[in-house]
Amino acid sequence: MPIFPRLIVGQVVLSALSFAAVVNSAPSGFPTSGNGLWFRAKGSAWAKEWLPIGNGYLAAMTPGGTLQEVTQLNIESLWSGGPFQDSNYNGGNKQPSERAATAQDMQNIRTSIFQSSSGTIDNIEVLATDAGAYGSYVASGYLITTLNSTASATNYGRWLDMDQGIVRTTWSQSNATLDRVSFCSNPTKACFQHLTTTGSALPGITYAFNSALESGLPQPVVSCLDSSTLVLRGNVSNPGMAYELLGRVTAFGKSSKVVCSPEGSANATITVSNAKESWITWVGDTNFDMNAGNAAHGYSFKGADPHVGLITLLNTASPRTAANANTFKSLSDSYVKSYQSLMGPFALSLGQTPDFTKSTDELLSAYKIDTGNAYVEWLMFNFGRYLLAGSAPGTLPANLQGKWARDTSNPWSADYHANINTQMNYWFAEMTGMDVVKPLFDYMEKNWAPRGSETAKVLYNIDQGWVVHNEMNIFGHSGMKASGNSAQWANYPESAVWMMMHVWDHFDYTNDIPWFKSQGYPLLKGVASFHLKKLIPDLHFNDSSLVVNPCNSPEQSPITFGCAHAQQVIWQLFNSIEKGFEASGDTDTAFLEEVRQVRAQMDKGIHIGSWGQLQEWKYEMDNPSDTHRHLSHLLRSISPIKRHPSVHQGTSSECVETSLIHRGNGTGPDADAGWEKVWRAAAWAQLGDADTFYHELSYSIYENFGSNMFSLYDPGSSDPIFQIDANFGYPAALLNALVQAPDVPSYTSPLIINILPALPKVWPRGSIVGAKIRGGFTLDFEWSNAKPTTATLRAAPSFKARPVQVVYAGNVVSTFTSSPGNTRVIRF
Ligand SMILES: *[C@@H]1O[C@H](CO)[C@@H](O)[C@H](O)[C@H]1NC(C)=O
Ligand SMILES: *[C@@H]1O[C@H](CO)[C@@H](O)[C@H](O)[C@H]1NC(C)=O
Ligand SMILES: *[C@@H]1O[C@H](CO)[C@@H](O)[C@H](O)[C@H]1NC(C)=O
Ligand SMILES: *[C@@H]1O[C@H](CO)[C@@H](O)[C@H](O)[C@H]1NC(C)=O
Ligand SMILES: *[C@@H]1O[C@H](CO)[C@@H](O)[C@H](O)[C@H]1NC(C)=O
Ligand SMILES: *[C@@H]1O[C@H](CO)[C@@H](O)[C@H](O)[C@H]1NC(C)=O
């Protein structure tokens, strides 16, 4: 067992701790493990100072006010656009009547590319479709809690406690200490904000829902459902999706009183008087229903009015029984238990020493590239997991902002970009044992596949399987969303192929055969069936290989054929079909044979170019000074936890390294984002280069995160854009330096578990407990003096036996065939 401080799960709730409430230390109540973010002042800028809470269904951002708290709210499915706004919305596709003409256009494009002396053409606009009512993820207003007091606040502190999953603000006024706790609970689908005082009673409190702060959102109606419950009903546009929020107030105190008023108004509020403690429970939903996103439902995505379902949720989350002093404690205890069971038993230590004397913003401003600070690095790792727990386990997967978005129209629609961003969101989930990935698979099955099979027919003239492109909303957008020659973004029919690695990995990590049969394998087969037909003979090089045409390497401009990334991900998908065929129960052996044949004939996407680089395109045109943000063609070699080991079996490792060096450090003329730096960090860890790994990781922290640890697109701005991908790529990159167990092409290739492949000098000691490794293993290990001491591998029962090698410092330290149920202890 680890001997170093680590993430403590199962701590006592709201325990009074021994910190004196002095200005130079973390506030009283801040976790003794140090696992939290704290601040000396209320947050002002939303994206870089407010603190998030969420449960996957709902999200909220809290500034930590005193006399007034303005909590910004989100409901995961609240979107503008789609069939709610435009009854003719068809997922950005061509009309079925255009199929024949489009097939001819496609043929002409393919021929021109093959015949082009540069291997490229300048546009494919004829294949694109206007985005139409694509829409955007929309914020759902504010909860405003106001105290009827003018007292001044002293001894202020606010923090996020990641041991318990709560946000807390404490301050003193009028000789009393006030304490506000906010959190969102996944099992109850509800959020809570609780206020209490050490004095005899709280000042009068007013609770209001306000959407007027949301510019562009039509004014909703807020009325009294009963004496203690507000109901907000609105439409995101007219016509548009409907949404509802219910907020119920519970107060406890000698002569406390809760009143909703005025009855019959469109702007009702709830007031509370003489309460010793008071809390509001809120739930919310829309009339979106992903089960109605198929042809049988006319792709309406419309479900029932949310009201009845919300009343049931609210009555369960916050029963209208008389409050007593234990009611809230039991609600919050059971929430903390559920949060800790989602986060645990995984735990990481980097040998960090918590620094209670500096607030999180102070720690971050003192942070230096290469020197770093293990405590900050550990916090940012835990924060990534906190955000995934708060955004992924709903009915929709985590979007570009998780589920936290402030406006009526959010950057890039806060949608799903599946050419790195959606993938990165889930990179670390399986390895840290977080059971939050199912909504991602439901989304692909119910939102992508149905409309995507029409796109296969109308755009590609292919009658089997399905396809989507890079940008997806929640209304089955599957067409090529282009405007003004934007092929570099739009022409990416491999998005679902890349996502299939997540499907395969879920099976490889969990061996969940019923799930694989009913959902996992059908997803793999649907995507593979399409690409079997889409690969065509290379009529440029006439080398009798099969290639994609037309293709763009993600976000790079050349429109060409045989893009390395596309060839690699399709090849890997075909391997997954072969590996999973037996478990799938599929009897379609003709399909399996075709997969094998096409795989044998296809270009594998690995070509070494004239300056020693791994080529991004089959037709060599790599520019050594291209520092583009994406590393798409290096994917099979360097994506965290997904590398194909052939890269170390030949010269291609050096080529990857050459390409990576030339790609720069993630600050180029095109972008200076966090996700490109953590991607590079992960890649350098994969190549075993600890120094460059740490340089990139520490550079990302230095450059791209706000003081609330949100990953920011433009960190220097006073009101920056939040983009969650680097928050999620960061933990994956960090893990990749500590342990790697990449996918293998077949079950006969040994699974290689590489311990401490790129340990930076700054983490000489540490431990991991409960890491999940593909093949059904749980791994605990610790290191000190920069060397591993022991590792324990426990094999879960009922997994397939397979060859395993444990590697450290390039040497195989243990070779065995996995034996379900067995434990193996390795001493180094
Ligand atoms: C605030 O308190 C004052 C004095 O106690 C009272 O007159 C007033 O009605 C209260 N206002 C609200 C909004 O409760
Ligand atoms: C706070 O306590 C002090 C000392 O007991 C007392 O003089 C003062 O009136 C109190 N202030 C308030 C606002 O209750
Ligand atoms: C929302 O739209 C529906 C249907 O058009 C309408 O009946 C309802 O009154 C609208 N609600 C609000 C709050 O505007
Ligand atoms: C409710 O408040 C909004 C904005 O504050 C205002 O525009 C609207 O007229 C009010 N509605 C009623 C019925 O008072
Ligand atoms: C490949 O074959 C095509 C069609 O037969 C021909 O037009 C083209 O010149 C050939 N290319 C090469 C490089 O031989
Ligand atoms: C990143 O690369 C740019 C361009 O080469 C260079 O100017 C800059 O110093 C580098 N920064 C870091 C932190 O590596």
Side-chain angles (χ1 to χ4, degrees):
M1 288 306 291
I3 50 173
F4 302 111
R6 59 188 180 90
L7 192 154
I8 312 285
V9 290
Q11 263 204 330
V12 181
V13 187
L14 307 184
S15 54
L17 297 170
S18 54
F19 293 102
V22 294
V23 182
N24 280 325
S25 185
S28 169
F30 186 75
T32 45
S33 62
N35 190 20
L37 318 182
W38 68 275
F39 303 90
R40 300 178 194 278
K42 182 189 158 191
S44 92
W46 180 92
K48 53 185 183 184
E49 290 167 1
W50 293 29
L51 289 171
I53 54 174
N55 60 15
Y57 303 97
L58 303 173
M61 290 285 278
T62 63
T66 52
L67 294 180
Q68 186 169 70
E69 176 70 333
V70 176
T71 308
Q72 184 262 315
L73 310 175
N74 285 106
I75 303 171
E76 63 163 345
S77 58
L78 189 62
W79 268 70
S80 59
F84 294 83
Q85 201 170 320
D86 174 3
S87 58
N88 293 320
Y89 185 73
N90 77 343
N93 279 290
K94 294 192 175 289
Q95 298 303 324
S97 59
E98 296 174 277
R99 178 171 175 164
T102 305
Q104 189 53 55
D105 291 337
M106 185 69 86
Q107 188 50 46
N108 297 344
I109 284 170
R110 287 176 170 159
T111 305
S112 325
I113 290 174
F114 281 141
Q115 289 179 352
S116 152
S117 59
S118 63
T120 63
I121 58 170
D122 61 11
N123 82 81
I124 51 166
E125 283 303 279
V126 67
L127 304 178
T129 322
D130 186 80
Y134 184 84
S136 172
Y137 183 46
V138 177
S140 58
Y142 291 80
L143 165 68
I144 299 176
T145 309
T146 313
L147 300 185
N148 189 0
S149 163
T150 52
S152 57
T154 54
N155 290 330
Y156 178 88
R158 73 178 169 109
W159 68 99
L160 165 64
D161 174 340
M162 295 191 286
D163 282 344
Q164 302 184 5
I166 61 175
V167 164
R168 212 167 145 189
T169 308
T170 58
W171 70 97
S172 302
Q173 66 177 62
S174 311
N175 292 344
T177 298
L178 276 69
D179 184 342
R180 184 191 306 110
V181 170
S182 306
F183 58 84
C184 296
S185 140
N186 180 268
T188 64
K189 303 185 184 179
C191 299
F192 301 84
Q193 183 197 82
H194 175 263
L195 185 65
T196 184
T197 176
T198 56
S200 56
L202 289 162
I205 309 170
T206 305
Y207 293 97
F209 280 130
N210 189 331
S211 293
L213 296 172
E214 222 49 276
S215 82
L217 201 60
Q219 184 66 31
V221 170
V222 184
S223 52
C224 299
L225 185 74
D226 56 45
S227 62
S228 62
T229 312
L230 289 174
V231 53
L232 174 151
R233 286 179 66 84
N235 298 315
V236 82
S237 57
N238 195 1
M241 191 184 282
Y243 67 105
E244 177 168 316
L245 287 163
L246 295 178
R248 172 170 294 162
V249 174
T250 311
F252 173 67
K254 248 196 264 153
S255 49
S256 68
K257 213 168 139 200
V258 179
V259 178
C260 187
S261 63
E263 289 286 352
S265 141
N267 286 332
T269 60
I270 288 179
T271 52
V272 174
S273 49
N274 299 319
K276 168 93 173 132
E277 64 171 309
S278 173
W279 72 92
I280 180 163
T281 307
W282 74 93
V283 293
D285 204 354
T286 68
N287 61 346
F288 172 81
D289 182 3
M290 201 152 64
N291 293 313
N294 51 30
H297 293 83
Y299 299 100
S300 74
F301 288 98
K302 268 188 198 131
D305 184 281
H307 184 71
V308 173
L310 287 175
I311 296 281
T312 308
L313 277 186
L314 189 64
N315 287 340
T316 312
S318 192
R320 293 201 66 222
T321 47
N324 65 60
N326 287 322
T327 308
F328 188 75
K329 184 173 170 2
S330 76
L331 286 174
S332 86
D333 284 357
S334 70
Y335 159 68
V336 172
K337 233 171 112 187
S338 70
Y339 168 77
Q340 291 174 342
S341 96
L342 186 56
M343 300 296 277
F346 179 89
L348 167 77
S349 164
L350 297 175
Q352 71 284 343
T353 307
D355 179 351
F356 298 103
T357 66
K358 290 194 184 69
S359 60
T360 307
D361 48 325
E362 291 161 356
L363 286 172
L364 283 166
S365 13
Y367 190 87
K368 293 198 173 57
I369 303 170
D370 296 323
T371 314
N373 175 341
Y375 177 45
V376 170
E377 288 141 12
W378 176 77
L379 283 176
M380 193 151 295
F381 180 92
N382 295 343
F383 187 57
R385 296 189 78 229
Y386 172 79
L387 292 179
L388 196 68
S391 60
T395 54
L396 288 161
N399 64 37
L400 286 182
Q401 298 193 190
K403 299 275 164 76
W404 296 275
R406 186 188 57 189
D407 299 315
T408 314
S409 176
N410 287 291
W412 299 281
S413 299
D415 68 0
Y416 300 88
H417 273 54
N419 70 2
I420 176 62
N421 317 79
T422 304
Q423 284 85 355
M424 192 176 268
N425 281 5
Y426 288 86
W427 268 355
F428 70 83
E430 302 285 357
M431 205 175 216
T432 71
M434 292 182 72
D435 183 13
V436 298
V437 292
K438 291 276 181 59
L440 177 64
F441 307 141
D442 289 345
Y443 170 64
M444 294 192 280
E445 178 192 325
K446 296 175 181 179
N447 212 300
W448 291 3
R451 191 65 97 170
S453 71
E454 294 200 348
T455 310
K457 294 185 182 80
V458 177
L459 186 56
Y460 294 94
N461 200 26
I462 291 175
D463 282 309
Q464 60 186 52
W466 56 273
V467 59
V468 293
H469 296 83
N470 168 39
E471 292 165 65
M472 267 73 66
N473 58 14
I474 64 166
F475 308 117
H477 182 91
S478 54
M480 218 185 260
K481 180 180 174 230
S483 59
N485 204 9
S486 51
Q488 65 207 85
W489 289 278
N491 181 25
Y492 185 53
E494 291 82 25
S495 55
V497 186
W498 191 354
M499 291 306 305
M500 289 306 110
M501 287 189 200
H502 293 260
V503 173
W504 172 255
D505 278 3
H506 187 63
F507 181 59
D508 214 12
Y509 276 86
T510 62
N511 197 40
D512 184 343
I513 291 174
W515 168 81
F516 190 62
K517 285 185 164 161
S518 64
Q519 185 175 51
Y521 181 79
L523 284 168
L524 299 178
K525 188 174 183 180
V527 179
S529 312
F530 171 78
H531 289 276
L532 277 178
K533 298 296 177 209
K534 186 171 163 290
L535 287 163
I536 54 174
D538 179 343
L539 297 183
H540 186 87
F541 290 114
N542 297 330
D543 58 4
S544 52
S545 72
L546 299 174
V547 292
V548 293
N549 177 359
C551 68
N552 279 74
S553 195
E555 303 191 14
Q556 287 273 20
S557 56
I559 301 168
T560 180
F561 67 97
C563 295
H565 168 90
Q567 303 291 143
Q568 293 172 17
V569 290
I570 295 168
W571 180 82
Q572 189 157 341
L573 170 60
F574 289 164
N575 290 336
S576 303
I577 294 283
E578 188 179 57
K579 283 181 285 183
F581 193 79
E582 191 188 324
S584 74
D586 191 358
T587 55
D588 185 357
T589 50
F591 168 67
L592 178 62
E593 268 323 301
E594 193 183 354
V595 165
R596 285 175 168 150
Q597 256 171 39
V598 172
R599 181 185 58 182
Q601 210 192 328
M602 73 183 287
D603 184 286
K604 311 293 185 288
I606 307 276
H607 295 278
I608 295 169
S610 57
W611 44 277
Q613 86 281 18
L614 192 69
Q615 285 178 214
E616 187 154 6
W617 305 275
K618 187 170 182 180
Y619 186 98
E620 186 180 353
M621 53 185 145
D622 306 82
N623 176 350
S625 53
D626 176 7
T627 56
H628 194 269
R629 54 200 178 275
H630 286 242
L631 304 175
S632 313
H633 58 309
L634 309 183
L635 177 79
R636 209 171 83 207
S637 325
I638 57 177
S639 191
I641 322 161
K642 319 252 184 244
R643 176 179 62 95
H644 174 244
S646 71
V647 74
H648 280 323
Q649 290 165 2
T651 56
S652 51
S653 166
E654 284 160 25
C655 302
V656 168
E657 187 164 340
T658 300
S659 293
L660 199 50
I661 290 168
H662 284 262
R663 222 46 175 229
N665 60 21
T667 301
D670 57 330
D672 183 20
W675 61 263
E676 50 181 318
K677 297 185 185 70
V678 300
W679 196 356
R680 280 160 175 75
W684 283 111
Q686 198 75 43
L687 294 174
D689 184 332
D691 289 343
T692 316
F693 154 75
Y694 189 69
H695 178 72
E696 286 290 336
L697 195 82
S698 58
Y699 184 23
S700 78
I701 294 181
Y702 176 82
E703 187 82 358
N704 293 103
F705 292 87
S707 60
N708 62 355
M709 293 201 170
F710 261 10
S711 133
L712 304 175
Y713 178 73
D714 47 350
S717 158
S718 59
D719 183 21
I721 292 173
F722 165 47
Q723 247 196 322
I724 207 165
D725 33 31
N727 281 114
F728 291 148
Y730 173 94
L734 188 151
L735 272 179
N736 220 35
L738 303 180
V739 57
Q740 295 167 9
D743 193 13
V744 288
S746 79
Y747 281 129
T748 54
S749 334
L751 173 64
I752 296 171
I753 303 175
N754 198 343
I755 307 283
L756 299 180
L759 183 71
K761 293 182 201 77
V762 291
W763 305 330
R765 60 197 173 94
S767 63
I768 284 187
V769 176
K772 296 290 179 196
I773 303 292
R774 67 179 71 246
F777 296 101
T778 302
L779 171 67
D780 299 345
F781 69 97
E782 54 185 82
W783 67 95
S784 65
N785 300 319
K787 291 195 181 74
T789 52
T790 56
T792 306
L793 269 169
R794 277 164 285 142
S798 82
F799 272 73
K800 213 178 168 74
R802 57 197 285 183
V804 179
Q805 290 180 356
V806 179
V807 171
Y808 169 65
N811 301 314
V812 177
V813 294
S814 180
T815 304
F816 57 95
T817 299
S818 69
S819 166
N822 275 13
T823 295
R824 184 166 287 261
V825 179
I826 298 157
R827 293 180 204 288
F828 293 84

